[in-house]
Every structure is written in C-alpha cells, then in structure tokens.
C-alpha cells in the first residue's frame, strides 16, 4: 500500500548557515528568474537574520520531502491535482495554471506556518500557491545556488541525497 | 501611461511642519538625472537657497534610492542622503551614502526616495507600510539609542521592518551625528543624523512587499550571473568563496544585494570591557585604536547606538586631542588623562591607543554634549578647535583636515585612514579633494584608489595581477590616454592626473544615482579576462536591461557629468565656491610628505594639474566656475542663466 504512494526522491537545496553573509541575492535571483521582477516576497527562498541577535542566519526553502505532504494533500483533494513530481529533478512542483488556490498544500506542510516555504500570490485576480521547484527546467540548476557569492547554498541531486532530510 | 521599469515612479515628500504627505513624479527628473544623487541635486538646486542652514526647517533631508536599488545587480542596496550638511565646515549642500537593507525595503514599499522638509512640533517618526505613510509620535523612542529604537519599532510594527534612526547625538544636534540602520550601516559623513534631530524626526521605519520590475529579466539575470562568475570587483580579484566566513563568535556579513568580497565582521555576544553588556555588533569600514580587542568591539557598539560618526572620532577627534596634549593645550578630560605617544604625531599611525574607559567617557560626552569639552567636540574637531583653547588648536587640524572642511583626509596618501595609495596616483585623489564638498574618498575616488592599488603591476609594495605591458593599452581604452595608469608619469602631461579625477568623479555620480556601490563600480580591471579589462559597459548594460531605457556608458557618464556640474553650481551659487577655496585644499591638508612614500606635493606643478582639471571640465580657470558653454552642452541652460544673474558664471 505504502509503495503505491511512494514518489521518486527529489534533489534538494541545502543551506550552510556558517557560510551565509545575508546578502539576499538568492531571494532576488529567485524572483527574477520565476517572476521577472526583483521581489523577495515573491521569492521561493528567504534568508532570516537579525543583526541584533547573536545567531547565524537561517534559510526558508522547501526541503523537497521524501514523503511530500503538500503533494498528497493536493492529490487527495483534487481530481486534477496541481502538484506534480518533476521527472528530471524530482522537485515537488505546483503547476500555477492548475492551482485552485485552496491552500491545503500549505496547511499540510510540516514546516508551515513557521517557515513559509509555500506562499500564495494573486495572478490575474486568481489566488495561486507557489513554492521552490529547484528551477527544474534550468540547465545550470537552481539559480539561487548559482548566484550565492559565499557558497552557503548547495544543490544535492536526488541520486546523491542521503538520509531522511 | 507606459509601464515603468526599475524606478517606482514616485518620490515621497513629507512636510513635517504642515503634516502633509505628497508624492513627486520621479520620471519628471529621471531622464536627465537618473535617480539618487542626481534627482536630489536637481531638487536642491530648485529648493535650497544660500540662506538655508543645516538646522533650518527649510533644509531638505533627501534620502534617496535609484532605479537599480533592490535588484540583483551587485551592490544595489545603497541609499544616498543629501541636504545642507552641518558637519561640513562651513556647512554646505553635501551627501553621504549607506548600505544595509533599508534602501531596498523603501523601494519595495514603492518609493524612489523621500524628501523631508519642515520641522515637527514634537518628536515624531515616519512609518511606511507599502503605500501607507504615517507620521507618528516618537515620545516612546525619543532619547533611545539607535539599536533600542530599531528594536522598539520592530516590536510595534513587526520583526521584518527596516529602520533608520538617529541616536541621542542626532537629537542633541551634534554636527557629527549619523543616520544609522541596524548595527553597522550608516550615513556617516555630513552630520545628517543631526538634520533628522533638528526636524524632530527620530526614525523612519519601512516595510515593503512590492518589487522592482525589470524590463528585460533574462538579460538582467544573465548579466548578474556573469558578474558573479567573474568576480573581480574593485576590491580585488578574490572571492568570498575562498574566505573564512564565520567562527564561534563572529560571522561575516554583507550589506545586502551584493556579490563582492567586501564584508564586515558581525561579532556575537562579546563581553564588554567597560560596560557589563554582551554586544552583538558589526565591525567594518573603520576601527578604533583601543588597547583591547573587546574594547574595540564595544566602542563600535557604543558609537552606533549613540549615533555618532565614529570615523570622525577615531581618525579626527582623538588624534587631534592627542596633538593638543603634545602641544600642552589639554592634559585630561574628567580626570582621565588623554593618552598620547612620546614621539610627535605626524601621521595617524603615530597615535596612541586609548583605553575603553576613556573612549566610553568621550563618546558619552559627545553624544550628550556634556560639559564644555563634550559640547565642543560634539560638533567635530574643526568646530571644536574654534571654541576650545582660545583657537590654539586650529593649526593642529592642518594635517588631519584638508581645508579644515570638516572631514578627515583619507585615501589620498597623507594622513592615514582607509587604504594606501602611492605616489603619483594620489595626485588624482588630491585633485578630487580640491573640488568636492566632502571627502571624495567615498563615492568618487574609491574606485580609482582601489583599482590602482589592487590591480596595477607595482604601486608601492603592492603587486596586482595585471601585467606591466598591458597597462598603457588598458589606460588608453578606458581613459583615452595611455599615461593615466602609468606610475612613471607624474605631473607631466597634466592630463594623466586630471583625466582620471574627472572620469572617476563622473562615474561616481552615475554610481550614486543608479544607486550602486562605489566599492563595486565602475569596474576597470579583471584578472580573468584576456585583455585584463573588465566589461567597462557593465553599468550601462545593467541600467538598460533593468529600466528598458537604453543608454551607453558614455551617455551615462554624460549624465554623471551633468550631475556633478549641477552640484558644483549649487556650491558656487549658495556658498561662493571658487578656485580660491579649491586651491586652499593643498595648503591645508596636503602640505606635508605623503605617509608611505614621503613625497611632497609641489604647489606650482600641482596648480597646473588643477588648471588642466578646470579646462577639461569646461570650467573657468581663474574662478573655477562652470562656463555657460559647458552648462548648456549638458542641458543646464537655466542653471547657467541663474549663475549669470548672480555674476558667478565661468
């Protein structure tokens, strides 16, 4: 029964807090690539930091779970589900054209709401959800990883990913 | 209306006296003046007359961003602050920049800048939540340090708001008060924190959830990725990837929206030496000469929290006090002896370190204008020297403050702070010091000094990656003159030193208007390209892809020239700036041997450089005033008319 729902493993973006310089270039690179504008609130990755607090930065980005709750939520609710598994990268992807804006994926996500990895926006008056898709069709891999000047972000392809992360 | 890319299209105008909030159409100015410093210069020309003092309600405090602010372009986080600057001696219209995350947030909230005028009846702060702008009472934050102000406003409006504020120093109208954001970034020079204070304005908190629309996103993205791959900023060919980023109690931190190697140390939970506090604060850009490492970090936290210009204290006031002690003008403050070395102080490096106790006492006195000494020093050493010791300390300013104009010499090979720049390359920087309203080493000479120091084959002890046989060729391509980058060329031909002074100033104006970072642009050299040159068109390409307004680098540089001429015109009209004042810079400030090379400036020969500078600028050689011909060429006919009316046309 379980194997029926098992999906292929995904690649993942990992974050090294000890190498982040909080420049936020990843945020604007992401929104520029996906939305054509530089806008952190439309970014699929956010860097959280407070210079007054003695803590290393953290990143808010989808962990592309082995058992993706967002995907199952969408699958179980909709006849024509919006979330699918990208074959090449394994990314759990929301198809914006099919998304009905119900938000069940965001509610199902174990990281939410503290870490807003699934967000929503309004496109032509329609509410749609969006999340990290590992820049699935981009030849050079995730754009945030490529732009990162200090090597804080790394892309691990599915076949090199280990453990339950 | 056609879609606007890059710019948001609106500049906020807030009249604190009338509590009126309006907007100005950015696009009315954008074609001629781009944004940032450019637009602010135009507004200043129209609105700030010679009668306006720094603390008058009529002074405009302009806090500007530009079309590239908050984009992926490296170094796009910066803010330029302009107005009549109290730190300048005498006060004049000037500028100061800062990095951090506030500028992009303002852009995301939908504004290309804020013009603040008037004076609030009672202390207020401004709260900008996307398009909604409110003037709110600051009674709960007035008196707080900048750190506490930020934390308080975040507790009211949310953790994600970005804040700029002035500390007690600004409230007390210290002429060396800064506008601070977060723990490190500040508009340090000019005393604009005191301009905030004079307007009864404590802080500006912003939250923006919008974005910057990009005309050609794919092109823009690939430009930025290419830049990221190639590295090679004026900061040198190194990359952050090769650097140690963090340790147990520190991490490196950047301003934001930037790819360069330049970064500061954010110290976490450092035990104070003087106060029993745990400090989390950043150190970059400048430092204090303190007897202990922990004391140095503590000093940075104190200075940021009080909102004092630490650069001025560290490199100007303390050395000047030590000089005064050596000349028996003062021995102690509050019973604490002023530390001074045995040997006479000739350069900054000769100064003695101070104890954390002494520094903490001094900073407190400055921020709160405590006692006659604190009250005088709160205005910076140039003003203090007039009030203290019967004026006997004034000649002691000479080595530290060119022209006694309020700002410490740096990056011109003499007094000391900043970096080292060797003969004869500092002749160019000295020229820039002569004609500017502030220490030009921030926006206009930074790219020059960084480049010659880090890339040329041999300047002083440095050895950069560019092979010697390439230098004259690159020089020709960039500046149109092979001699510019050749260290064997000194005063003759004068173009060799005057051309880069103009080129980097105009480029600096472009950088300040787009707004990008002066540590990142313009880029000249590259250690990875075949010909040793960086993409000289890069800024123009970024601007064009972002805004959809296609401009070449030459066209942008023309805009930069226009902006600098306009700033000069303001200086000439309002404050009688002239060749006489320009020239006095080398009598006071550069009339002693260079710190690293021992070279002495030859006045007679240098004046030839200055004349060549005026000639190439299209300014009158006798008066140093812009000519009608030049101003009309730049599309500034109305400026020429006005200067002619008051008899100051070149």
């Amino acid at each position: 029964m379980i194997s029926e729902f098992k999906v292929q493993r995904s690649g993942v973006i990992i974050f090294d807090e000890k190498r982040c310089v909080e420049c936020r270039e990843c945020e604007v690179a992401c929104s520029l690539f996906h939305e054509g504008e530089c806008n952190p609130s439309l970014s699929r990755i956010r860097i959280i930091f407070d210079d007054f607090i003695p803590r290393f930065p953290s990143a808010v980005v989808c962990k592309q779970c082995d058992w993706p709750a967002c995907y199952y939520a969408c699958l179980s609710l909709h006849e024509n589900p919006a979330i699918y598994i990208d074959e090449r990268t394994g990314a759990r992807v929301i198809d914006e054209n099919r998304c009905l804006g119900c938000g069940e994926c965001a509610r199902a996500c174990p990281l939410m709401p503290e870490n807003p990895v699934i967000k929503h926006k309004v496109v032509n008056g329609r509410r749609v959800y969006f999340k990290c898709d590992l820049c699935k069709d981009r030849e050079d891999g995730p754009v945030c990883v490529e732009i990162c000047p200090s090597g804080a972000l790394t892309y691990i392809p599915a076949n090199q990913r280990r453990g339950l992360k | 209306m056609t879609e606007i890319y890059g710019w948001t299209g609106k500049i906020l105008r807030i009249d604190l006296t009338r509590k009126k909030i309006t907007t100005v159409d950015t696009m009315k100015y954008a074609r001629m003046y781009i944004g940032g410093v450019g637009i602010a210069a135009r507004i200043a020309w129209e609105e700030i007359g010679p009668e306006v003092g720094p603390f008058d309600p009529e002074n405009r405090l302009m806090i500007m961003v530009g079309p590239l602010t908050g984009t992926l372009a490296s170094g796009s986080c910066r803010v330029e602050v302009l107005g009549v600057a109290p730190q300048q001696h005498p006060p004049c219209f000037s500028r100061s920049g800062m990095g951090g995350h506030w500028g992009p947030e303002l852009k995301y909230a939908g504004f290309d800048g804020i013009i603040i005028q008037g004076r609030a009846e009672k202390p207020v702060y401004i709260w900008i939540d996307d398009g909604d702008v409110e003037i709110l009472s600051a009674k709960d934050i007035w008196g707080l340090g900048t750190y506490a102000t930020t934390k308080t406003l975040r507790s009211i409006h949310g953790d994600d708001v970005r804040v700029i504020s002035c500390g007690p120093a600004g409230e007390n109208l210290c002429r060396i008060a800064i506008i601070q954001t977060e723990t490190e970034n500040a508009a340090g020079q000019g005393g604009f924190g005191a301009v905030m204070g004079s307007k009864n304005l404590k802080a500006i908190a912003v939250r923006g959830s919008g974005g910057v629309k990009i005309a050609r996103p794919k092109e823009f993205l690939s430009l930025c990725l290419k830049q990221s791959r190639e590295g090679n900023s004026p900061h040198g060919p190194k990359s952050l990837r090769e650097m140690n980023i963090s340790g147990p109690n520190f991490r490196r931190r950047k301003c934001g929206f930037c790819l360069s190697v330049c970064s500061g140390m954010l110290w976490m939970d450092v035990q104070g030496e003087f106060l029993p506090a745990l400090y989390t604060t950043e150190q970059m850009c400048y430092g204090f000469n303190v007897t202990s490492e922990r004391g140095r970090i503590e000093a940075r936290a104190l200075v940021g929290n009080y909102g004092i210009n630490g650069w001025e204290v560290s490199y100007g006031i303390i050395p000047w006090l030590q000089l005064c002690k050596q000349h028996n003008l003062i021995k102690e403050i509050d019973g604490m002896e002023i530390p001074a070395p045995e040997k006479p102080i000739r350069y900054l490096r000769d100064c003695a370190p101070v104890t954390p106790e002494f520094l903490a006492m001094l900073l407190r006195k400055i921020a709160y204008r405590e006692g006659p000494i604190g009250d005088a020093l709160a205005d910076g050493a140039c003003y203090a020297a007039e009030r203290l010791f019967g004026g006997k300390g004034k000649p002691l300013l000479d080595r530290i403050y060119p022209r006694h104009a309020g700002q410490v010499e740096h990056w011109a090979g003499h007094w000391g702070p900043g970096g080292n720049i060797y003969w004869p390359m500092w002749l160019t920087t000295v020229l820039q010091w002569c004609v500017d309203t502030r220490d030009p080493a921030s926006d206009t000479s930074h790219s020059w000094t960084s480049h010659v120091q880090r890339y040329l084959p041999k300047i002083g002890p440095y050895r950069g990656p560019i092979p010697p046989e390439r230098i004259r060729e690159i020089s020709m391509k960039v500046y149109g003159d092979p001699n510019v980058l050749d260290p064997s060329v000194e005063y003759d031909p004068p173009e060799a030193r005057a051309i880069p002074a103009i080129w980097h100033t105009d480029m600096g104006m472009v950088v300040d208007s787009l707004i990008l970072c002066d540590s990142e642009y313009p880029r000249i050299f590259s250690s990875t390209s075949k010909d040793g040159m960086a993409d000289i068109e890069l800024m123009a390409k970024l601007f064009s892809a972002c805004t959809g307004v296609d401009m070449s680098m030459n066209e942008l540089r023309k805009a930069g020239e226009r902006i600098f001429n306009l700033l000069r015109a303001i200086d000439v009209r309002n404050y009688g700036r002239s060749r006489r004042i320009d020239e006095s810079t080398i009598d006071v400030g550069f009339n002693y041997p260079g710190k690293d090379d021992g070279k002495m400036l030859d006045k007679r020969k240098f004046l030839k450089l200055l004349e060549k500078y005026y000639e190439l600028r299209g300014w009158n050689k006798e008066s140093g005033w812009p000519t009608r011909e030049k101003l009309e060429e730049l599309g500034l006919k109305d400026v020429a008319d006005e200067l002619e009316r008051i008899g100051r046309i070149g």
Side-chain angles (χ1 to χ4, degrees):
Chain A
M1 188 61 190
I2 276 178
S3 59
E4 194 184 321
F5 294 104
K6 175 98 180 134
V7 293
Q8 77 178 83
R9 185 164 251 193
S10 171
V12 68
I13 291 164
I14 59 165
F15 174 71
D16 181 355
E17 59 172 24
K18 300 278 162 68
R19 288 209 64 82
C20 177
V21 290
E22 59 188 66
C23 73
R24 295 168 72 198
E25 287 284 73
C26 52
E27 296 182 9
V28 271
C30 176
S31 71
L32 182 60
F33 177 72
H34 287 95
E35 311 281 346
E37 62 178 282
C38 294
N39 183 346
S41 54
L42 289 178
S43 170
R44 280 97 175 126
I45 181 168
R46 285 305 289 270
I47 303 297
I48 309 296
F49 56 88
D50 184 334
D51 287 353
F52 294 103
I53 298 174
R55 236 191 340 237
F56 289 91
S58 61
V60 174
V61 62
C62 174
K63 293 188 189 297
Q64 312 289 353
C65 307
D66 278 351
W67 295 90
C70 55
Y71 169 75
Y72 298 126
C74 193
L75 210 63
S76 63
L77 273 168
H78 301 294
E79 263 179 46
N80 184 16
I83 302 190
Y84 65 95
I85 310 297
D86 174 59
E87 274 183 25
R88 194 171 72 92
T89 59
R92 288 66 173 116
V93 185
I94 300 176
D95 182 342
E96 282 181 18
N97 295 321
R98 281 185 289 171
C99 178
L100 300 175
C102 74
E104 283 307 322
C105 53
R107 277 185 282 278
C109 172
L111 298 171
M112 298 280 285
E114 303 92 307
N115 302 292
V117 296
I118 305 179
K119 301 196 285 191
H120 59 82
K121 59 183 177 180
V122 175
V123 180
N124 301 329
R126 204 165 56 86
R127 180 187 175 99
V128 294
Y129 281 76
F130 62 98
K131 66 181 280 297
C132 171
D133 62 358
L134 299 175
C135 298
K136 59 186 174 58
D137 299 322
R138 195 172 177 271
E139 241 171 70
D140 299 321
V143 70
C144 56
V145 176
E146 191 178 338
I147 200 79
C148 177
S150 58
L153 295 171
T154 316
Y155 176 59
I156 311 282
N159 58 6
Q160 287 166 30
R161 192 174 170 178
R162 286 177 300 151
L164 269 172
K165 272 195 173 168
Chain B
M1 197 180 113
T2 52
E3 181 114 34
I4 303 169
Y5 297 97
W7 296 276
T8 67
K10 281 186 302 212
I11 297 169
L12 204 53
R13 187 190 285 273
I14 300 176
D15 186 330
L16 291 174
T17 308
R18 293 179 188 81
K19 301 191 183 74
K20 238 180 92 186
I21 299 165
T22 51
T23 57
V24 177
D25 178 10
T26 315
M27 303 323 283
K28 201 176 108 190
Y29 298 98
R31 277 281 171 167
M32 292 266 283
Y33 304 101
I34 307 173
V37 161
I39 292 183
R42 183 67 213 187
I43 290 169
W45 172 259
E46 289 166 5
E47 300 179 16
I48 301 179
E51 72 289 351
V52 178
F55 300 140
D56 293 341
E58 271 312 293
N59 191 8
R60 303 291 192 261
L61 180 65
M62 294 183 269
I63 308 175
M64 306 294 292
V65 291
L68 285 179
T69 305
T71 67
L72 186 61
S74 182
S76 66
C77 68
R78 291 191 68 86
V79 178
E80 283 289 326
V81 182
L82 297 96
V84 180
Q87 188 187 341
Q88 263 62 358
H89 181 255
C92 63
F93 181 76
S94 195
R95 61 194 190 276
S96 181
M98 70 173 148
H101 294 269
W102 189 88
E105 201 71 18
L106 181 70
K107 193 84 179 285
Y108 300 150
F111 300 105
D112 293 317
I114 310 178
I115 307 164
I116 297 157
Q117 59 198 75
R119 174 186 290 149
E121 213 176 306
K122 285 183 180 150
V124 295
Y125 71 97
I126 296 168
W127 163 231
I128 302 172
D129 191 3
D130 282 325
D132 299 329
V133 185
E134 287 177 274
I135 303 169
L136 300 172
S137 165
K139 71 175 182 346
D140 295 335
I141 47 174
W142 195 256
L144 294 183
T146 64
Y147 292 11
T149 299
T150 305
K151 289 176 197 171
T152 309
L153 291 181
R154 282 184 175 165
S155 74
I156 296 169
H157 298 293
D159 290 341
D160 54 345
V161 306
R162 304 284 175 189
V163 177
I164 57 173
S165 61
C166 68
E171 296 170 13
N172 296 325
L173 307 190
C174 301
R175 286 177 188 268
I176 55 164
I178 59 174
I179 299 178
Q180 174 90 16
T181 179
E182 320 236 331
T183 70
E184 150 73 23
N185 299 111
Q189 299 286 41
F192 291 110
V195 177
M196 279 181 84
S198 77
K199 297 192 173 305
N200 265 330
L201 174 62
K202 178 66 181 173
I204 305 176
V206 187
R207 181 196 287 126
S209 62
V212 183
K213 292 203 165 56
I214 307 291
R216 301 194 291 267
K218 275 190 185 152
E219 186 186 328
F220 194 75
L221 178 61
S222 72
L223 279 168
C224 296
L225 286 169
K226 186 161 168 273
Q227 195 181 349
S228 160
R229 270 195 306 277
E230 288 173 0
N232 278 296
S233 73
H235 264 279
K238 252 170 69 179
S239 142
L240 271 176
R241 286 170 196 270
E242 308 153 23
M243 278 169 66
N244 190 15
I245 299 292
S246 61
N249 67 339
F250 78 88
R251 58 187 170 92
R252 287 204 161 267
R253 173 206 170 266
K254 291 180 64 56
C255 282
F257 306 91
C258 179
L259 300 165
S260 93
V261 72
C262 157
S263 53
M265 300 278 263
L266 184 77
W267 294 98
M268 301 188 285
D269 269 352
V270 173
Q271 176 66 56
E273 189 96 320
F274 178 68
L275 294 173
L278 283 178
Y279 294 107
T280 294
T281 191
E282 190 186 345
Q283 170 151 23
M284 203 194 143
C285 176
Y286 73 94
F288 283 98
N289 189 2
V290 185
T291 48
S292 82
E293 171 74 18
R294 281 196 289 136
R296 205 153 57 87
I297 295 163
E298 182 170 33
R300 287 305 301 265
L302 291 177
V303 92
N305 201 26
Y306 285 140
I308 300 172
N309 181 346
W311 180 282
E312 162 69 14
V313 176
S314 179
Y315 301 143
I317 290 177
I318 291 175
W320 179 71
L321 283 173
Q322 296 193 1
L323 271 165
C324 288
K325 190 188 176 202
Q326 288 191 335
H327 287 77
N328 299 317
L329 299 177
I330 185 175
K331 225 190 185 123
E332 50 171 50
I333 302 174
D334 271 10
M336 261 193 235
E337 191 174 346
I338 297 169
E342 296 275 306
K343 268 183 13 187
I345 296 169
R346 291 157 63 237
Y347 301 101
L348 178 68
R349 59 176 176 243
D350 302 328
C351 290
V354 298
T355 60
E357 292 78 14
F358 179 84
L359 196 49
M361 176 272 298
L362 187 68
L363 292 173
R364 194 194 65 238
K365 287 185 105 61
I366 289 175
Y368 294 102
R369 289 184 172 275
E370 258 180 45
I373 295 270
D375 193 26
L377 293 177
D379 290 332
C382 289
Y383 284 92
E386 290 178 341
R387 287 172 58 189
L388 298 173
F389 324 131
K392 288 199 195 92
K394 267 164 87 174
L396 302 178
L397 297 169
D398 286 5
R399 286 199 167 214
I400 314 177
Y401 297 91
R403 213 167 56 239
H404 293 189
Q407 273 140 13
V408 173
E409 188 283 324
H410 55 115
W411 277 112
H414 282 70
W415 172 243
N420 303 325
I421 176 163
Y422 273 76
W423 173 265
M425 298 313 190
W426 52 251
L427 284 171
T428 290
T429 330
V430 175
L431 271 176
Q432 291 178 316
W433 274 87
C434 286
V435 296
D436 214 325
T437 56
R438 60 164 291 181
D439 50 337
S442 162
D443 45 8
T444 64
S445 60
H446 215 166
S447 57
W448 165 252
T449 49
S450 302
H451 269 110
V452 295
Q453 177 190 314
R454 296 192 172 98
Y455 285 90
L456 284 194
K458 189 152 171 58
I459 283 286
Y462 301 100
R463 185 172 286 279
I466 306 296
E469 62 275 13
R470 275 277 147 74
I471 287 307
R472 292 184 63 84
E473 188 188 313
I474 294 177
S475 183
M476 185 68 204
K477 277 192 197 157
V478 177
Y479 303 102
D481 185 323
N483 295 319
V484 170
L485 293 173
D486 188 341
S488 67
V489 176
E490 300 184 346
Y491 291 100
D492 201 34
E495 283 87 350
R497 302 293 151 241
I499 287 175
I502 293 169
W503 195 92
H504 283 273
T505 300
D506 292 348
M507 286 297 220
M509 292 299 110
V510 175
V511 169
D512 281 355
S513 302
L514 287 174
I515 296 173
L516 293 170
C517 182
D518 51 285
S519 293
E520 275 284 88
Y521 307 90
R523 294 177 173 208
I524 298 172
F525 300 124
S526 163
S527 62
T528 47
S529 76
K530 262 195 200 145
D531 57 1
M533 268 175 71
D535 182 359
I536 209 84
E537 290 282 325
L538 179 62
M539 270 200 286
K541 287 178 184 169
L542 287 168
F543 173 80
S544 304
C546 172
T547 61
V549 178
D550 286 304
M551 274 173 97
S552 70
M553 202 60 241
N554 275 335
E555 287 170 292
L556 270 185
R557 188 148 59 87
K558 200 80 195 162
E561 190 185 356
R562 179 181 303 125
I563 293 162
F564 195 71
N565 272 271
L566 186 55
L567 288 175
R568 179 75 175 182
I570 294 170
D571 214 13
V572 169
R573 179 192 68 181
N574 287 8
Y575 316 106
R577 189 68 180 250
S578 64
R579 170 169 171 163
R580 192 182 53 77
I581 297 172
D582 292 351
E583 218 182 286
S584 68
T585 312
I586 53 168
D587 298 325
V588 176
F590 295 102
N591 195 13
Y592 63 104
K595 71 178 164 106
D596 299 309
D597 43 42
K599 286 279 188 181
M600 191 75 190
L601 193 139
D602 181 321
K603 185 169 178 180
R604 199 179 48 85
K605 289 181 182 166
F606 186 82
L607 291 182
K608 289 255 174 347
L609 295 188
L610 189 61
E611 278 173 11
K612 181 53 80 179
Y613 181 96
Y614 291 147
E615 185 194 319
L616 294 172
R617 268 269 179 237
W619 296 353
N620 182 297
K621 274 196 224 176
E622 274 73 51
S623 59
W625 295 334
T627 57
R628 170 171 288 278
E629 198 188 349
K630 178 47 91 180
L631 292 173
E632 286 194 0
E633 176 203 317
L634 295 169
L636 299 173
K637 185 176 173 300
D638 60 324
V639 174
D641 292 345
E642 172 84 0
L643 289 181
E644 183 156 2
R645 195 180 61 78
I646 59 167
R648 290 188 192 152
I649 191 85

